[in-house]
Amino acid sequence: MLALGVVAMTSCSKGGSGNVSSATGWEYNAPENGGFEYYDGYEQELGPGLRFVEGGTFIMGRVEQDVLYDWNNVPRRVTVPSFYMDETEVKNVDYREYLYWINRVFVEYPEVYKKALPDTLVWRRALAYNEPMTENYFRHTAYSEYPVVGVNWLQANDFCQWRTDRVNENILVNMGVLEMDVNQQGENNFNTEAYLYGQYDGIAGKKPIEDLDPNKDSRRVRWEDGYLLPRYRLPTEAEWEYAALGLIGNSQEERMTNRRIYPWDGHITRNSEKGERGKMMANFVRSRGDYMGMAGDLNDGGDITVDVHSYYPNDYGLYCMAGNVNEWVADVYRPLSFDEVDEFSPFRGNEFKTKVLDEEGYLVEKDSLGRIRYRIETDKDIQDRKNYRTGDNRNFGDGDAQSNISLGNQWLDNEQDTKNMYGQHTGTMGSLISDRTRVYKGGSWRDRAYWLSPGARRYLDEREARDDLGFRCAMTRVGSPMTSGKKK
């Protein structure tokens, strides 16, 4: 039995038309009627580090000359739902906090910590002296507010999941539903899904939720309550590009005054405003061998990366959406994605999964990290579905000769994996493009201005890392695409 005390349902309104069922006429939230709970007027809370990005339609794709003739992002009109995006790239201090938590919780599983470590050797070059960066960049406090690099796509996703659980755990602790448990060990750590499915109990707080069921005293927080936030995740390519352009700043009543090449107005990379004229708008390579300008008047103020709050935020309040570091996005890369993905919320990379159940239909035990177990849906799982016909849709509709002759793991990298002259995985098909190839965007401190355009796209194996590649997180917006202050 949980301790006495009640958490009031404060996030939503209790009165108005939402107090009585329009289907049955029964009063909501009334123990004498059985205690079914419903509170209207929900508004999603802003998660730590996030900015709201109101969605809409835009022309996704390259708006400048395709000098490489890749033709891999031809302009196309799509619609992106509203969502949330990190104000900045994930910082070194954020990732060190993540590693500290892993090292403290998974004492008996040192491989978990080792797997999460960023590759600090990405700074090395055969003909450059970058050893100070391998030793200092990630750990030294001087670089704490700089973007983390050397993190591959898989590690970035793991960070997002960890962040989701820490944020939701903190919500429950602040509500008084749980007590902070700093002695969590191994699989007995707070996981959002495990809590919701009754596989994590934790230390009961002093203010449990009152259960309005007349036969019960208190209960867990439910997903229906709206207290817990949706998961942090990598943004889709469409979301990232939409957020980077920040077109809300140069449109009025559905009339866009001009398209943008960069996350700011104009076709140049210097500030044109009075008082700031001539200052660089991003951290990039101005010309051959010029990474920061001449002493006494450094043009972008950064020899390598810079503090994540540098320069000017775009019209969504997002910093460094061009330059500083490239950023991972969720999508699997295909050259013709622009011609294949849906017009609404476009994305390539779906792997539809289902929870692992035992023979009696109950959830199996959590994995060693304390997470609910999932598996890719099989043909049997989806035999009666018409909206999708396979669990793994990463190479959906490819149709080319190579993918048609590929079976199973041949499209991935298996025991016959090969590498090219740059040490990159090529797989058995001899191509850099596979189901493990992910998109990254944004341009970096190592790039020319050409790559600062949000429409530019490049790709890398999800297991690779670089010294100019980081990431930021996104979160789904639930409910209305407009915040409460804009509702009509």
Side-chain angles (χ1 to χ4, degrees):
M1 188 70 66
L2 293 175
L4 295 178
V6 176
V7 171
M9 304 295 283
T10 58
S11 68
C12 308
S13 169
K14 217 176 163 183
S17 61
N19 200 38
V20 175
S21 169
S22 61
T24 64
W26 287 30
E27 185 180 357
Y28 294 134
N29 316 312
E32 60 271 20
N33 289 342
F36 177 77
E37 297 185 46
Y38 168 65
Y39 301 87
D40 63 356
Y42 174 80
E43 173 68 24
Q44 185 171 346
E45 295 290 332
L46 187 66
L50 298 176
R51 289 276 189 167
F52 175 65
V53 179
E54 184 174 279
T57 183
F58 83 115
I59 304 297
M60 180 178 178
R62 186 182 297 277
V63 296
E64 59 178 343
Q65 183 180 4
D66 190 355
V67 298
L68 299 180
Y69 297 101
D70 285 333
W71 304 112
N72 65 357
N73 209 10
V74 174
R76 178 191 179 190
R77 181 172 290 279
V78 299
T79 292
V80 175
S82 295
F83 63 102
Y84 298 88
M85 179 83 93
D86 267 343
E87 180 179 62
T88 71
E89 298 129 343
V90 172
K91 306 184 295 291
N92 281 321
V93 66
D94 301 328
Y95 206 84
R96 292 205 305 266
E97 180 184 6
Y98 167 53
L99 291 178
Y100 178 85
W101 185 92
I102 290 177
N103 196 40
R104 182 172 59 82
V105 172
F106 295 107
V107 176
E108 298 182 1
Y109 302 98
E111 65 275 10
V112 178
Y113 178 80
K114 183 177 180 181
K115 179 183 176 182
L117 284 172
D119 181 6
T120 58
L121 300 185
V122 293
W123 290 99
R124 285 179 170 172
R125 293 290 190 275
L127 298 177
Y129 179 61
N130 291 337
E131 285 305 293
M133 293 298 101
T134 68
E135 299 165 1
N136 299 321
Y137 182 80
F138 178 63
R139 296 288 183 183
H140 199 284
T141 187
Y143 296 104
S144 290
E145 298 296 317
Y146 284 49
V148 66
V149 297
V151 174
N152 65 37
W153 187 91
L154 299 171
Q155 291 172 316
N157 275 272
D158 288 341
F159 175 90
C160 292
Q161 183 164 353
W162 168 84
R163 185 177 176 185
T164 300
D165 295 334
R166 303 291 69 74
V167 168
N168 281 330
E169 180 181 23
N170 194 52
I171 289 173
L172 296 181
V173 169
N174 290 337
M175 289 173 58
V177 174
L178 292 178
E179 292 287 339
M180 180 61 74
D181 183 7
V182 296
N183 296 315
Q184 299 178 43
Q185 290 291 307
E187 66 181 31
N188 296 314
N189 68 84
F190 177 87
N191 174 269
T192 302
E193 281 195 310
Y195 172 82
L196 291 172
Y197 287 109
Q199 293 200 8
Y200 175 85
D201 293 319
I203 303 174
K206 298 178 180 179
K207 297 180 180 179
I209 296 287
E210 178 187 16
D211 197 329
L212 299 185
D213 183 335
N215 299 314
K216 299 178 182 178
D217 296 325
S218 58
R219 62 172 178 82
R220 292 172 176 267
V221 169
R222 302 175 183 135
W223 189 243
E224 295 91 329
D225 294 330
Y227 288 126
L228 301 179
L229 292 178
R231 64 173 60 94
Y232 284 83
R233 56 177 174 78
L234 290 181
T236 66
E237 181 178 6
E239 287 174 334
W240 194 100
E241 189 170 327
Y242 179 84
L245 284 171
L247 295 175
I248 194 172
N250 62 352
S251 62
Q252 184 177 10
E253 296 181 350
E254 291 200 275
R255 295 193 302 272
M256 189 168 61
T257 56
N258 60 281
R259 295 197 64 183
R260 286 177 170 171
I261 297 176
Y262 306 112
W264 53 84
D265 285 332
H267 64 282
I268 60 176
T269 56
R270 292 181 182 271
N271 198 323
S272 59
E273 298 294 326
K274 186 177 180 180
E276 299 287 331
R277 190 165 296 148
K279 293 185 178 180
M280 286 294 180
M281 299 291 287
N283 179 21
F284 66 102
V285 180
R286 184 168 65 170
S287 61
R288 183 174 183 179
D290 183 1
Y291 281 74
M292 61 177 173
M294 297 183 67
D297 191 21
L298 301 182
N299 58 50
D300 64 21
D303 50 352
I304 50 168
T305 60
V306 293
D307 186 302
V308 295
H309 282 101
S310 299
Y311 311 109
Y312 311 88
N314 73 358
D315 290 314
Y316 279 121
L318 309 177
Y319 287 84
C320 294
M321 294 300 285
N324 211 23
V325 292
N326 290 288
E327 298 178 20
W328 287 113
V329 296
D331 291 59
V332 167
Y333 177 81
R334 290 294 187 275
L336 297 181
S337 287
F338 66 88
D339 195 39
E340 299 167 333
V341 293
D342 281 4
E343 295 177 344
F344 177 76
S345 194
F347 171 67
R348 176 184 281 274
N350 282 313
E351 295 177 84
F352 299 128
K353 297 181 180 181
T354 186
K355 300 176 186 67
V356 178
L357 307 177
D358 61 21
E359 294 179 354
E360 297 181 356
Y362 294 102
L363 288 174
V364 300
E365 290 296 320
K366 299 177 292 184
D367 65 18
S368 59
L369 299 183
R371 299 171 180 174
I372 299 296
R373 298 177 188 267
Y374 282 85
R375 61 173 176 80
I376 296 288
E377 289 186 330
T378 64
D379 292 342
K380 182 179 180 181
D381 295 321
I382 59 178
Q383 60 184 355
D384 296 324
R385 288 209 164 271
K386 291 183 170 57
N387 54 328
Y388 64 95
R389 299 302 305 157
T390 182
D392 187 348
N393 290 271
R394 290 175 295 176
N395 61 12
F396 177 83
D398 277 354
D400 57 278
Q402 290 286 62
S403 60
N404 283 341
I405 65 173
S406 298
L407 297 174
N409 288 334
Q410 285 184 335
W411 187 250
L412 303 176
D413 300 334
N414 55 24
E415 66 276 1
Q416 299 177 3
D417 185 24
T418 59
K419 293 184 178 181
N420 64 11
M421 61 183 294
Y422 303 106
Q424 297 170 314
H425 296 275
T426 61
T428 58
M429 305 309 296
S431 172
L432 293 178
I433 301 176
S434 75
D435 286 350
R436 289 194 173 117
T437 306
R438 302 289 174 170
V439 178
Y440 67 89
K441 299 173 75 73
S444 77
W445 66 275
R446 282 193 179 275
D447 289 318
R448 304 300 196 269
Y450 175 79
W451 295 107
L452 303 187
S453 171
R457 62 199 303 252
R458 287 176 284 182
Y459 57 91
L460 191 68
D461 188 288
E462 65 186 22
R463 298 163 296 180
E464 302 286 338
R466 293 172 44 150
D467 63 356
D468 63 348
L469 179 55
F471 69 102
R472 72 179 76 207
C473 303
M475 179 184 288
T476 298
R477 163 79 176 180
V478 294
S480 171
M482 298 176 289
T483 59
S484 57
K486 296 182 179 180
K487 287 183 178 179
K488 299 179 180 179

